[in-house]
Amino acid sequence: NFMLTQPHSVSESPGKTVTISCTRSSGSIASNYVQWYQQRPGSSPTTVIYEDNQRPSGVPDRFSGSIDSSSNSASLTISGLKTEDEADYYCQSYDSSNRGVFGGGTKLTVL
Amino acid sequence: EVQLVESGGGLVQPGGSLRLSCAASGFTFSSYSMNWVRQAPGKGLEWVSYISSSSSTIYYADSVKGRFTISRDNAKNSLYLQMNSLRDEDTAVYYCARSQQWLADFDYWGQGTLVTVSS
């Protein structure tokens, strides 16, 4: 089993760029795809990135995803920050023992 | 429009049982895998269980294995989660979430139903 570790919180100003990391504790980050979900207060999660770097239709191209094997981590980058981007963000993947794994979540504040 | 509507949550005593349902509409339910994901109050997301489109493949998180049972009825476009031997730590909002297959993202989520385990 592995864990996905995210920073508890990040903050940035409107118009700026922020990157949220998701580090896999063991095994290769490239073993299975990583997804990213956005959860606004009081709402259900929605996908912003799937399969490491793919954006669902309707998600602005300000959102991008990547993986880095050297740091064994995935990253979600949001550029041109808007106040509406303020939310909790979760990374998610799967392990080889047929379990889904979520990161602990990162609270993004746009101030 | 894809819709997933959970029901069946409520207050139950430790050791008790509860059955959650998820009614699906707006897509061909029998062609998709389904999942249950939960979120304890003020906490993060936790994957609970997965069932393939034909019910041939089922997976559980270690925390619920042996106590929870996932099932589906494709004729009724419905997903279920039978929860037995409930513990305080099972208190959470339970979401049903659609996926194309195992290893895929959860592309649609319901609004969730709250399960509270307390004496």
Side-chain angles (χ1 to χ4, degrees), chain A residues 49-81:
Chain A
I49 294 290
Y50 68 99
E51 293 182 358
D52 296 343
N53 55 20
Q54 301 299 302
R55 262 189 327 274
S57 59
V59 174
D61 60 6
R62 301 185 295 106
F63 289 80
S64 62
S66 64
I67 63 168
D68 179 358
S69 295
S70 65
S71 59
N72 212 36
S73 64
S75 294
L76 172 68
T77 298
I78 311 171
S79 60
L81 275 169

Side-chain angles (χ1 to χ4, degrees), chain B residues 82-102:
Chain B
Q82 177 66 43
M83 304 186 295
N84 298 331
S85 303
L86 282 162
R87 306 167 179 167
D88 292 351
E89 56 264 34
D90 296 319
T91 294
V93 172
Y94 284 73
Y95 297 100
C96 63
R98 191 185 84 166
S99 60
Q100 298 274 354
Q101 58 194 11
W102 184 241

Side-chain angles (χ1 to χ4, degrees), chain B residues 17-82:
Chain B
S17 298
L18 213 54
R19 189 195 197 206
L20 306 184
S21 299
C22 171
S25 61
F27 65 102
T28 304
F29 181 71
S30 59
S31 297
Y32 288 84
S33 297
M34 297 296 296
N35 301 265
W36 288 99
V37 178
R38 68 184 180 183
Q39 187 169 33
K43 302 297 184 182
L45 300 171
E46 179 187 13
W47 172 81
V48 172
S49 185
Y50 164 91
I51 186 168
S52 62
S53 58
S54 65
S55 303
S56 59
T57 302
I58 287 174
Y59 301 129
Y60 296 100
D62 289 346
S63 57
V64 306
K65 193 175 295 184
R67 300 187 298 121
F68 290 11
T69 302
I70 191 172
S71 63
R72 64 190 295 162
D73 185 336
N74 287 342
K76 295 183 177 179
N77 291 339
S78 293
L79 173 73
Y80 306 102
L81 186 67
Q82 177 66 43

Side-chain angles (χ1 to χ4, degrees), chain A:
Chain A
N1 292 3
F2 65 87
M3 292 171 46
L4 295 172
T5 301
Q6 302 179 230
H8 181 70
S9 63
V10 296
S11 61
E12 190 51 91
S13 302
K16 300 292 189 179
T17 296
V18 70
T19 297
I20 299 171
S21 62
C22 170
T23 302
R24 178 167 168 156
S25 61
S26 61
S28 172
I29 192 68
S31 294
N32 283 309
Y33 286 128
V34 174
Q35 280 66 238
W36 289 91
Y37 301 93
Q38 176 192 68
Q39 186 178 32
R40 294 190 173 108
S43 296
S44 303
T46 61
T47 306
V48 291
I49 294 290
Y50 68 99
E51 293 182 358
D52 296 343
N53 55 20
Q54 301 299 302
R55 262 189 327 274
S57 59
V59 174
D61 60 6
R62 301 185 295 106
F63 289 80
S64 62
S66 64
I67 63 168
D68 179 358
S69 295
S70 65
S71 59
N72 212 36
S73 64
S75 294
L76 172 68
T77 298
I78 311 171
S79 60
L81 275 169
K82 300 184 176 184
T83 54
E84 67 203 45
D85 299 330
E86 191 162 286
D88 293 327
Y89 291 86
Y90 296 89
C91 59
Q92 179 263 322
S93 188
Y94 294 90
D95 74 11
S96 58
S97 300
N98 298 322
R99 297 179 188 89
V101 181
F102 280 97
T106 298
K107 180 177 180 61
L108 169 63
T109 302
V110 182
L111 35 65

